[in-house]
Amino acid sequence: MTNLRIPGPTPCPDVILKEMSRQMINHRGPEFAQVLNNVTSGLKKVFQTNNDVVTLTSSGTGGLEAAVVNMLSPGDKVLAVSIGVFGDRFAKIAKTYGAEVIPLSFEWGKAADPDAVRKALQDNPAVKAVLVTHNETSTGVTNDVEAISKVIKEFDKLILVDAVSSMSSIDFPVDKWGCDVVVSGSQKGWMVPPGLAMLSVSTKAWKANTEAKMPRFYFDIAKAKSDLEKGQTPWTPAISVVFAMEKALNIMLEEGIQNIFARHIRIADMTRKGVKELGLPLFADEKYASNTVTSIAAPEGLDVKLLTKTLREQHDIVLGGGQLQLAGKIFRIGHLGYVTEDDIKEVLNKLKVVLPQAGFEVKR
Ligand SMILES: *Cc1c(COP(=O)(O)O)cnc(C)c1O
């Protein structure tokens, strides 16, 4: 089996994939309502929240778009904290819908500085909401959302969080940290195929929703919430992916979310240690290095394209390259969701073989 080690889509256990082959049911009938209710209550446990959680048929980006269009009005000032590709994307969505975006960007590979967020909010008192990425998949950095959220609370602003590649894998207690809208996506740490975006929505966010005037139709979460009360979704959902999610949540809650977080820490530590032992430098500031994806800075002489191609063609291991300006400069190992120590051991062993073939002499 291919060792798919990209930060999403991630491999899925066979028992979860099997759910996808179930016969279709009426999405307005009692059987689907039961499934959707189970999914919603399971999601709340993983999000560690009593807020509403709505499930949309969409990729993660649609979830981010839903967060923007349901909370804001054209002309609203938004502080967009960005540490990479996905932070920039969140900002771009807000801009597309007419928000006045104030960018607060940090060097790629570094985490956002909560004090800089405070300064930006002092300088821009009219800001309505702050956009933050929890885990920046493009650079392999996890922001300290707890500290950033605390700062945002000092100013009583909305905090909208992209947790697409962290929720379910890295501890993110939504209520404890007081985050208003938090978005995730099924194909990252959830062991489920692509197709669902899940969002938690706080009471404060629902209040903002009643005032938000950005245009929305498919992603109208007020409609999603009222339909959810009947065990339904506004539009035909990806029923097969919802079946898979129900099964995945059962498996996850059986393992226990704290055990899942601990497994991700253990495997990420092992990945970073193994990579450094090969003589490779980490790209991310190690203090904030992600526990779902490890980014490695390509040293002088290493041909990243050749490395990933050789691993794929000769060893059936698929790693991620760098996105946008990081193409050719870094490569990434995904270790989220359905992942064990053995999966990473295999990657490290084969890296040892292939690195010299791609221009880098492994440290002895
Ligand atoms: C994958 C990802 C997204 C986008 O998800 P799509 O499902 O590709 O739309 C957004 N943010 C982060 C941090 C991601 O890792």
Side-chain angles (χ1 to χ4, degrees), residues 105-351:
S105 300
F106 297 86
E107 188 190 333
W108 290 16
K110 300 268 192 294
D113 173 10
D115 290 331
V117 175
R118 180 180 291 106
K119 171 88 174 44
L121 288 173
Q122 281 163 349
D123 292 348
N124 298 282
V127 160
K128 166 113 198 195
V130 183
L131 313 180
V132 185
T133 317
H134 181 219
N135 187 74
E136 179 50 75
T137 320
S138 68
T139 60
V141 172
T142 306
N143 274 324
D144 185 351
V145 166
E146 182 178 18
I148 294 170
S149 181
K150 239 181 223 154
V151 168
I152 294 167
K153 295 250 141 322
E154 291 168 20
F155 297 84
D156 199 28
K157 309 296 184 191
L158 285 170
I159 169 170
L160 316 182
V161 186
D162 174 349
V164 173
S165 64
S166 51
M167 186 58 75
S168 79
S169 312
I170 299 174
D171 192 17
F172 183 165
V174 167
D175 289 359
K176 197 167 153 223
W177 292 359
C179 294
D180 295 303
V181 179
V182 180
V183 181
S184 194
S186 59
Q187 82 277 24
K188 300 286 168 91
W190 301 86
M191 308 186 291
V192 171
L196 302 178
M198 304 81 78
L199 282 87
S200 68
V201 186
S202 72
T203 309
K204 183 175 162 150
W206 283 121
K207 186 162 175 294
N209 175 245
T210 62
E211 295 153 12
K213 297 206 165 48
M214 279 184 183
R216 52 189 181 264
F217 186 81
Y218 185 79
F219 288 134
D220 184 343
I221 60 167
K223 181 151 177 56
K225 176 178 154 71
S226 72
D227 284 28
L228 189 57
E229 280 154 21
K230 299 179 286 180
Q232 294 184 17
T233 54
W235 331 112
T236 312
I239 293 172
S240 307
V241 192
V242 180
F243 285 155
M245 182 59 86
E246 184 186 29
K247 183 72 179 178
L249 285 164
N250 286 341
I251 292 172
M252 290 173 64
L253 294 171
E254 199 165 302
E255 183 177 355
I257 57 170
Q258 295 304 330
N259 293 330
I260 294 175
F261 304 149
R263 171 165 57 84
H264 281 80
I265 292 171
R266 218 166 53 231
I267 291 177
D269 279 343
M270 179 189 154
T271 309
R272 291 188 286 264
K273 189 160 164 278
V275 160
K276 286 190 285 184
E277 276 170 9
L278 292 168
L280 292 167
L282 297 175
F283 177 70
D285 177 351
E286 205 168 340
K287 189 161 173 249
Y288 296 96
S290 167
N291 288 330
T292 61
V293 53
T294 294
S295 57
I296 296 124
E300 201 50 42
L302 176 66
D303 182 341
V304 170
K305 253 204 164 133
L306 181 60
L307 176 78
T308 52
K309 180 172 186 276
T310 310
L311 282 168
R312 186 179 69 241
E313 289 178 352
Q314 295 183 11
H315 302 283
D316 210 11
I317 294 171
V318 180
L319 301 188
Q323 292 167 272
L324 304 179
Q325 60 260 50
L326 291 177
K329 296 205 170 70
I330 68 165
F331 64 97
R332 295 172 299 155
I333 304 170
H335 35 77
L336 66 168
Y338 187 39
V339 59
T340 64
E341 272 91 346
D342 283 347
D343 297 324
I344 298 302
K345 269 183 207 150
E346 197 207 355
V347 172
L348 294 169
N349 287 339
K350 292 297 165 15
L351 271 175

